Amino acid sequence: MTAQQNPALPDDFTNELARLSRAGFPLLPLGGGADGKAPLLRSWAGPKMTLSRVLAPLYRSGSQVYGVRLDGLAVIDCDENSPELVAAIEARFGPSPVHVKTPRGRHLYYRANGKAPNLRGEGLPVDIKTGPRAYVVGPLSERPDGGQYWPAKGLLGVDALPLLRAPSGPPSGNVGPSDPIPVGHRHVRLIKEAVQMVELVDSAEELAANLAGVRDDFCEDASTMPDSELAAIAGWAWQCRLDNRVYKGRDSAFPLQRQALDALRGCDNDTDAITLYVMLVDLHGHSPGKRFALDFKAMRASGLTRLSIPRLRAARRNLQTVGLLVQVGKHRAGSRHQTWALSRLRPSSTHAESVTQIKPEMLS
């Protein structure tokens, strides 16, 4: 049985796939995931697929996205379409005759030349993707969100690709770890790498491909660390990003409950109450049920706030009144401060069978 062809696929798109396939490039059909960059076939590593096998799922789904597998190729993926960045990269790795403009930046094509450095480790918004388990979105693709990949210089399959110049090292700093990552430390190290990279990629699949590069370049006995482990790490990190739970010290965000802000608006000196609430969520909100003292003198001395102590006390009372702050430990003169905990508002849900309001005695 043959697949019913979808006339929505434009001729220039299908002709480009046919041209690249004849030129010897291994292709794969994409279109999965929210951004359309995930493969439509579960098993795609291995021998080059025939053109009909690549086109069939594209026709069935109507997807106008395909991938170029990087068997023997290397692509420098710049996340910024900055002429200065591209010039610096080409000065270091050699000029590429083929550039493809991406929704965020550029793809620079080369022939592979051994292992590639981890440029993310240098703080650059750049990945070097290479190897039979890696791919990039091909030229003339258009993602479901409207993102396009368009030739910006040269033509893949026509212009001869040079070898990726082996770099002597970064302009400053080190490329990745100076020593291989030992077997017992690989998982934890790749979790840290995933957290650093997750906000710079478009999908969990792209993150997993980046982690594969770190594994192959820096991990001892890389062949014993399966792709499934990398996919699990990437999936966890991607979900953390979706839930706004990526924590990278001060270079990170934290969520605020809009209902809490609504409850504080209209209170006396509501701006002070909101200021104190934001400060407490910043300092303590990442640990549910955490107990803490409120030493206003120490907070002022450390520069956390410029509010006067009477204004801070009034703000604290407002937080207590609306239920965002509960006292969980009483003051004992000379030995113990009052302790507090943040609480989450559940308006319109207080009588639901599955909801219990947080009370001070529950946190004791």
Side-chain angles (χ1 to χ4, degrees):
M1 179 181 294
T2 59
Q4 178 66 40
Q5 291 195 351
N6 186 336
L9 294 183
D11 289 342
D12 58 351
F13 174 75
T14 55
N15 290 341
E16 178 71 355
L17 269 71
R19 186 185 68 81
L20 291 175
S21 181
R22 288 195 300 268
F25 290 92
L27 310 177
L28 69 153
L30 306 179
D35 58 6
K37 294 170 62 176
L40 292 175
L41 299 175
R42 289 187 178 181
S43 178
W44 54 268
K48 174 187 171 184
M49 286 183 276
T50 62
L51 179 61
S52 59
R53 191 180 175 205
V54 175
L55 286 174
L58 296 178
Y59 278 124
R60 286 194 297 268
S61 64
S63 171
Q64 295 184 38
V65 191
Y66 72 99
V68 177
R69 283 176 35 180
L70 302 180
D71 309 53
L73 298 177
V75 168
I76 299 181
D77 182 3
C78 300
D79 283 347
E80 297 176 3
N81 192 20
S82 161
E84 293 78 14
L85 176 63
V86 172
I89 291 297
E90 290 193 305
R92 181 171 170 186
F93 295 98
S96 168
V98 176
H99 292 196
V100 174
K101 187 178 181 300
T102 73
R104 292 198 300 178
R106 289 205 172 204
H107 287 165
L108 281 60
Y109 281 79
Y110 300 83
R111 285 185 292 129
N113 186 22
K115 289 185 177 180
N118 176 16
L119 300 183
R120 294 283 180 188
E122 301 175 30
L124 296 173
V126 179
D127 292 305
I128 300 182
K129 300 178 179 180
T130 186
R133 291 174 295 182
Y135 65 88
V136 293
V137 178
L140 299 192
S141 291
E142 182 171 347
R143 299 189 328 219
D145 59 8
Q148 295 181 325
Y149 295 75
W150 204 254
K153 174 185 175 183
L155 193 62
L156 189 62
V158 173
D159 295 275
L161 299 178
L163 281 173
L164 182 72
R165 182 189 299 164
S168 58
S172 60
N174 295 321
V175 179
S178 56
D179 298 312
I181 303 171
V183 170
H185 298 267
R186 298 180 304 183
H187 190 85
V188 172
R189 178 55 184 270
L190 286 177
I191 287 176
K192 293 179 179 179
E193 293 285 342
V195 170
Q196 292 296 319
M197 292 189 288
V198 69
E199 294 180 320
L200 303 172
V201 298
D202 293 328
S203 66
E205 292 78 14
E206 184 179 355
L207 179 59
N210 289 352
L211 293 178
V214 177
R215 174 198 60 191
D216 295 343
D217 287 351
F218 301 118
C219 288
E220 289 184 347
D221 202 9
S223 62
T224 62
M225 193 171 196
D227 290 346
S228 58
E229 184 174 353
L230 305 185
I233 294 173
W236 167 82
W238 186 256
Q239 191 61 49
C240 286
R241 175 181 173 178
L242 296 179
D243 295 341
N244 199 21
R245 292 187 290 113
V246 178
Y247 180 71
K248 295 189 293 184
R250 301 309 298 173
D251 184 21
S252 59
F254 61 91
L256 282 174
Q257 188 185 15
R258 288 187 173 90
Q259 292 171 339
L261 301 181
D262 292 342
L264 292 173
R265 293 188 180 102
C267 296
D268 292 337
N269 299 315
D270 55 0
T271 302
D272 290 352
I274 291 173
T275 299
L276 179 59
Y277 178 65
V278 172
M279 183 191 311
L280 295 179
V281 174
D282 171 28
L283 296 173
H284 308 296
H286 57 281
S287 300
K290 179 183 177 182
R291 299 174 177 220
F292 51 87
L294 284 176
D295 188 335
F296 293 141
K297 289 183 179 179
M299 291 165 64
R300 284 173 51 83
S302 65
L304 282 175
T305 180
R306 295 183 180 179
L307 295 178
S308 67
I309 290 178
R311 289 173 65 181
L312 286 168
R313 287 174 177 162
R316 182 194 64 197
R317 287 193 293 270
N318 281 335
L319 295 183
Q320 288 180 267
T321 299
V322 301
L324 291 171
L325 186 68
V326 294
Q327 184 180 345
V328 294
K330 295 184 178 180
H331 171 70
R332 183 180 298 167
S335 62
R336 187 171 67 183
H337 289 288
Q338 288 178 334
T339 52
W340 307 84
L342 292 167
S343 180
R344 182 178 174 87
L345 288 181
R346 296 179 184 271
S348 75
S349 302
T350 56
H351 301 296
E353 294 181 359
S354 61
V355 173
T356 301
Q357 287 292 93
I358 296 179
K359 300 178 181 178
E361 57 267 25
M362 297 171 65
L363 295 171
S364 300

